[in-house]
Amino acid sequence: MTDLPLLTVSVSPHLKSGQSVEKIMWTVVACLLPPLILSVFIFGLQTLIITLISVISCVAVEAISQKLLHRPVTIKDGSAVITGLLMAYIIPPGVPYWIPVLGAVMAIYVAKHLLGGIGFNIFNPALIGRAFLMASFPVAMTSAWLPPIRDGAIFKYMGSGIDAVSTATPLYLLKHYGSSALMEKFGSMSAIYGDFFIGWRPGCIGETSALLLLIGGLYLIYKKYITWHIPVAMIATVGFLTWVFGGERFFTGNPLLAVLSGGVFLGAFFMATDYVTSPSQGTAKLIFGAGVGALTVLIRLKGGYPEGVCYAILLMNPTVPALEGWFRPRRFAPQKGAQ
Amino acid sequence: MIKKPFFGLGKPKLTYSGVRDIEGEDLKEILPSPRITLMHKSPNGDLGDLSLSIGDEVNTGQKLNLRENGGEFLTSTATGTITDISHTTGYAGQSFVSVAIEAKSKDLWDDELEKAGKNESPENVLPFLSYIPGISDLTSIIKTDNPPNTIIINGLDRDLLIATNQIIVKTEAENLAEGVEYLKKITGVKRVIFVVPPSLRMEAEQSGAEVKVIEPHYPDATPRLLMKEILDNPVSPSQSLEDLGVGFISAEAVVALRTAFVEGKMPVTKVVTVTDKNNRLTAVRAKVGTPVSDILNALNIDVSDGDRLVFGGPMSGRGIYSEDMPILHDTDAIMVQDKDQVIPAGNDPCINCGECVRACPAKLPVNMLIRLLENGLYEEAVQEYDLLSCVECGLCSYVCIMRIPIFHYIMLGKHELALTGGLEESNG
């Protein structure tokens, strides 16, 4: 029988859907690139450098962590690239270049690999990176807001010059001075909606363009890489609760302004939908998204920070196992006790 | 096989293959092989007390009692001399006795069955028919204690890329009708339901059975899903289908019954759907016991090192180790996969994307289940996450983006529980 071929034997199924984690991760990366390109024109070329440093640091820290922990190095799966991109997107555009390097160590080594690596992290690594930076370097992280460039001078903020021009974010103005101060600075409400929707406003590197984030997010939904539940629940909750509680009196808040400012779109489509740190099924996703939205509004209106998306998602992350347990799919077989 | 909706809003559906996917929409006969190997699943792997021995002459259709007691038997599918008797281990440690026969080119038919059928009394014929082609064990529906009140004839197939039953429904509608009559007679069952895809409705209606047409979406023809869809009688994990009084039989087995009763001959051939490396389907009729290599040679399918041969379909079929392996009485399909198409399982942990949960027809929280199964917590998997409700379709593994062998973990879990007797104690 020596002339018979040596066969491969393995367990069924013998077909695969053709979907892989690499494909998904690199598609997410592609969806995240347009806001980055736009940010170069809004805040200047240094945003690209900060993002590159963040991505390279995250990939390097991932490789080193995996070597140190004697795990297979999996930088090719693209997950560290996404963490690097997302972390850069939620830090202000005028931070010193060493900031994302420290963030990467916290995000990838501590929040991801010390917890067991991909699949085991409780919190979204990019958000942990930002939360760590906010707590450790509050001055660098809160004084680096830049006014949008209107004349195409993308080298404007390179090098020194940054300290002189820092500005206030819309949410900061709203929180401390009200909407009249906002209109004084950014023009009429309709001009504000237009600018904010496209992305011409002060904010973090990648969070400003609701339009591009929406396009990227809708593409991910179309590809079925994420579902609509979390983004819709989160954005709707932020809008609704701001409308109810965000004004001088009840039901006078401005929901559109609330969802167009801060990191709502970035958080809703790209952060709160992270597979590992969000629930996998419909009802649990809706609750999770609504929870993130509610906490965001709570922090914005009553908390110490003008923006709350980052902490809202981080606070909802550990509820995922409980949500999965409570809102599990309905059993196909007859219910227990019905036999 | 995979139909994706154009706008990507609906779910992609996996569809069963149909008769029109088969080359020529007809059966090819495979010439009788000079080497026939019969295999019998025998929990007692002992070869010491066999009543067969090397050198015995056997005839075609002859019932070969394996041991003096116990009722285990093989049906010879050829005329010739026994050249070897050995013990083989199959999937999950199943023990087989395998008997090799050097076959002559001319069949001499054994006449025991014909004699038994003379007086029109089915009881005399049934003892020959336990292992007819198309059903793993006929005694599961023909039994005296707790007999079934409903029988479902599956005119679809068990898996993707198989059209074995469908080609039989298409080409042997009249024989099937006769078979249904005998099926009713021997089981005493009043309600016989015939499940077919829309394309075979006409043929099925000639059978005299109650016809149910279902869309050929995988895995809807799985027994437990049929129970829910057709009989609206979902099976709880602690029950078997037999507990609910329902028996399942394939269309092929019904035709085999007719061969035994009408022609007085043991059915010794099996229809097998062969899928080549380019996913082209051919339906062949070959004797049970024919080596896979003979069938592949007849179809000019080359197999080389690293390729994969599967008995059954792509979702739930089982890889075989050698081309020498014979087709068994319940081998519906042989799938040949090129080594380039073999996608190995992954080692990475679950990242909770939820695809498996959305794919699961039994609505199991597969993402939670797999965490317990990976750690060997089988009892907990049953109690917390309904391990035993699994309908064994394999879709969870199919869609897994991390390529975790979820289906294998599930089967392993069920197997381990069965070994420790946990199934009876901890059912949901």
Side-chain angles (χ1 to χ4, degrees), chain A residues 245-312:
Chain A
F245 299 109
E248 311 264 303
R249 284 165 286 114
F250 284 137
F251 305 107
T252 57
N254 186 334
L256 196 55
L257 190 62
V259 299
L260 288 177
S261 41
V264 174
F265 272 72
L266 182 63
F269 285 104
F270 293 94
M271 304 270 194
T273 54
D274 171 46
Y275 286 154
V276 182
T277 57
S278 71
S280 60
Q281 300 317 313
T283 317
K285 282 182 171 187
L286 288 173
I287 307 257
F288 180 85
V292 172
L295 286 169
T296 300
V297 175
L298 184 68
I299 294 169
R300 279 183 178 183
L301 298 181
K302 300 286 170 207
Y305 294 100
E307 174 56 314
V309 172
C310 169
Y311 294 109

Side-chain angles (χ1 to χ4, degrees), chain B residues 91 127 152 171 229:
Chain B
Y91 186 79
I152 297 183
T171 56
E229 290 306 315

Side-chain angles (χ1 to χ4, degrees), chain A residues 8 10 14 224 328 331-332, chain B residues 8 306-308 314 337 384 386:
Chain A
T8 301
S10 53
H14 307 285
K224 295 188 176 41
R328 44 191 289 175
R331 195 178 140 113
F332 157 84
Chain B
D307 293 351
R308 185 154 62 184
Q337 250 186 345
E384 300 289 324
D386 284 335

